Amino acid sequence: MREEEKKKVMNTEKEFLRSAHPIEPAMRAQIMDALRDIEAKNDVSVLFACESGSRGWGFASPDSDYDVRFIYVNRLPWYLTVRPRRDVIEVPISGDLDINGWDLRKALGLMRESNPTLLEWLRSPIVYRDDMVAMPRFRALSEAVFSNARGWHHYSSMAKKNFREHLQAGEVRYKKYLYVLRPLLAARWIRSQPGVPPMRFADLAQRTLDAARDATLIDEINALLEVKMRAAEAATSPRWPGIHAFIESELAANAAEPVTPLPQAEEAGLDAFLHETVLRFDKQEQEAAHG
């Protein structure tokens, strides 16, 4: 994208940051059918399912995939074996639909490690399934055991790696800028306040950037988003100088001063939650079987 076109886009009607989460009704119906099919074929119950990736972040391109991720609970006998069993369900990609999920015990183990992927799922703005009993407590546990040091290290390292690998050429893919900006702003969030950062990019930016002080940067990010959201996934442009300068400055600040670790809650609640949830679904299964 050339300089004159950038300026034209930047002068359109302003909002803090552009965002869109397009899910066609027919695709939503297909996803719900797929989740029911997964439950039937694998004898599991899906507790939670959401959109991950660019649709969840709010900057999908017209040809972006649907990245559906879910958490499921197995029946009680599955957990009572000596040999470990496969704890993921992966469905072959079909058209634009990419769908897979994790068993509850695996998900809780990843929660204990403050796994950012899991934490982002829980904060997705697009939710297809959400168990009303289990998931509020699951989210509360994720906040309680979150390690700000692990989260910050993950995001700052991801930003540094993506910058080094994808933003060094004169011509770069639009989405690669966002793959650096998003983790940088997540790291900034974690540095400034306790708790897990939001998944939605617009929310993250609004709560880490200042509308007055960062106005020029925000305009340029909005221009990038506007073009990215109507271009193909592989589309490229010359460097965006304001965004590039911000990234370099933020990476330098992260290198100079790592985040200070905060206290974490005890992990005992994770075992109790697993126990109670597995037994609840086992009881429901037995009651259904006996009419």
Side-chain angles (χ1 to χ4, degrees), residues 120-131:
E120 287 185 11
W121 293 2
L122 299 178
R123 286 147 188 85
S124 174
I126 306 173
V127 175
Y128 301 110
R129 187 80 69 88
D130 200 38
D131 184 83

Side-chain angles (χ1 to χ4, degrees), residues 181-254:
L181 281 169
R182 195 184 65 83
L184 272 183
L185 295 183
R188 178 182 274 205
W189 162 284
I190 293 169
R191 182 187 293 281
S192 64
Q193 56 202 303
V196 181
M199 178 189 186
R200 188 170 176 266
F201 183 62
D203 293 339
L204 188 59
Q206 188 160 5
R207 296 165 76 174
T208 53
L209 299 176
D210 183 89
R213 185 185 64 245
D214 301 314
T216 302
L217 172 65
I218 292 166
D219 281 350
E220 191 164 336
I221 295 174
N222 263 322
L224 172 66
L225 286 167
E226 200 278 338
V227 180
K228 194 274 180 190
M229 289 160 63
R230 58 181 170 82
E233 281 285 294
T236 65
S237 79
R239 285 189 181 185
W240 294 66
I243 295 174
H244 211 87
F246 170 77
I247 289 172
E248 291 181 324
S249 173
E250 200 74 3
L251 287 173
N254 285 342

Side-chain angles (χ1 to χ4, degrees), residues 4-47:
E4 59 273 14
E5 190 178 350
K6 288 184 190 178
K7 290 178 181 177
K8 182 179 178 181
V9 173
M10 289 165 66
N11 287 330
T12 58
E13 182 180 352
K14 290 185 179 180
E15 51 188 312
F16 194 89
L17 272 196
R18 295 178 181 275
S19 189
H21 309 273
I23 306 293
E24 295 295 330
M27 178 55 73
R28 180 177 285 274
Q30 181 182 337
I31 290 167
M32 300 304 289
D33 286 343
L35 292 171
R36 287 188 285 268
D37 187 57
I38 287 167
E39 289 180 313
K41 288 182 177 179
N42 296 276
D43 194 24
V44 300
S45 295
V46 173
L47 298 174

